[in-house]
Amino acid sequence: MENSTQPNDEPKSLSILEEVDRVASRVALSAAAGLTLGASIAIFQGSPIGRTALSVSASCALTGTACFGTERIADNAIRLLAGNSAKPVDETTRIYAAHAIGGGIGGGIAGGLFQGRVLSGALLFMPIMLSIAYGEISAEEYRQERLSQLLGESLEKGEDDTKAE
C-alpha cells in the first residue's frame, strides 16, 4: 500500500468524468431554468413560445457552461496550488474563491459573446455564482447536520433495544 503525502482531511480530487458530470448537471439545471424563463417571457410579450423558450434555454445553457466550467477549473487549480503550499486552504474559502473566479471569467466570456461587454458580464455573474456557492455550502452543512442527527437517533434507538432485551 502506498503512503499518501496528502493529509486525511483534504478532500479527494475528482476524476475528469466526475467533474464533467458535475458541470453537466448544473448546465442542465441552467437550461431548464432558461426554458421556464423563456416561456414566461414569450407569454408576457406575446411572442412564439417554443422559439423564445428554446432560445433563452440555449443562452442559459451556454452561460452556465462558461461559468460552471471555469468554476471547476478554478477549484482544481486552487486544490493543486494549495496542495503545494505549507498552509492549507479552508474548504469554504476554496468554494467561494472558485465560484467567484468562475463567475468573473465565465461571466466575462458570456458578456463578451452576447453583449460585447466583458466587464458587465463578469460583474453580473460573480454575485450570482457567489450566491450559488452559499447555497451549496448551506446545503452541505444541513446534510451533515441531518446525517449526524439521524445517526444519533439510530444509536439511541439501538441502546434502547439492548436495554429492553
Side-chain angles (χ1 to χ4, degrees):
M1 186 187 269
E2 288 183 38
N3 290 337
S4 176
T5 58
Q6 294 181 344
N8 291 336
D9 60 345
E10 184 67 26
K12 190 184 122 200
S13 187
L14 301 175
S15 73
I16 292 175
L17 289 177
E18 290 171 327
E19 295 288 357
V20 169
D21 186 50
R22 183 178 168 115
V23 171
S25 66
R26 284 157 175 75
V27 170
L29 285 173
S30 299
L35 197 64
T36 305
L37 180 65
S40 300
I41 290 170
I43 291 169
F44 179 72
Q45 292 179 341
S47 304
I49 295 173
R51 187 177 70 205
T52 306
L54 288 176
S55 175
V56 172
S57 179
S59 296
C60 287
L62 289 171
T63 303
T65 301
C67 289
F68 290 117
T70 54
E71 179 264 328
R72 293 316 305 159
I73 291 170
D75 185 69
N76 282 317
I78 292 169
R79 284 179 198 252
L80 180 67
L81 294 173
N84 295 334
S85 71
K87 184 179 177 187
V89 176
D90 179 43
E91 184 178 357
T92 303
T93 304
R94 179 181 49 80
I95 291 171
Y96 277 122
H99 279 77
I101 292 169
I105 295 174
I109 291 169
L113 290 175
F114 289 112
Q115 298 277 324
R117 294 187 256 159
V118 175
L119 185 60
S120 63
L123 291 175
L124 174 68
F125 283 102
M126 191 178 297
I128 293 171
M129 290 295 288
L130 287 172
S131 299
I132 292 169
Y134 177 77
E136 287 180 3
I137 291 168
S138 297
E140 181 62 26
E141 287 173 354
Y142 174 76
R143 188 183 74 80
Q144 290 293 333
E145 181 182 314
R146 184 70 179 135
L147 185 62
S148 65
Q149 184 182 35
L150 290 173
L151 287 174
E153 290 174 3
S154 175
L155 291 174
E156 288 175 5
K157 191 182 254 186
E159 290 174 2
D160 291 342
D161 289 345
T162 56
K163 288 179 184 177
E165 292 176 358

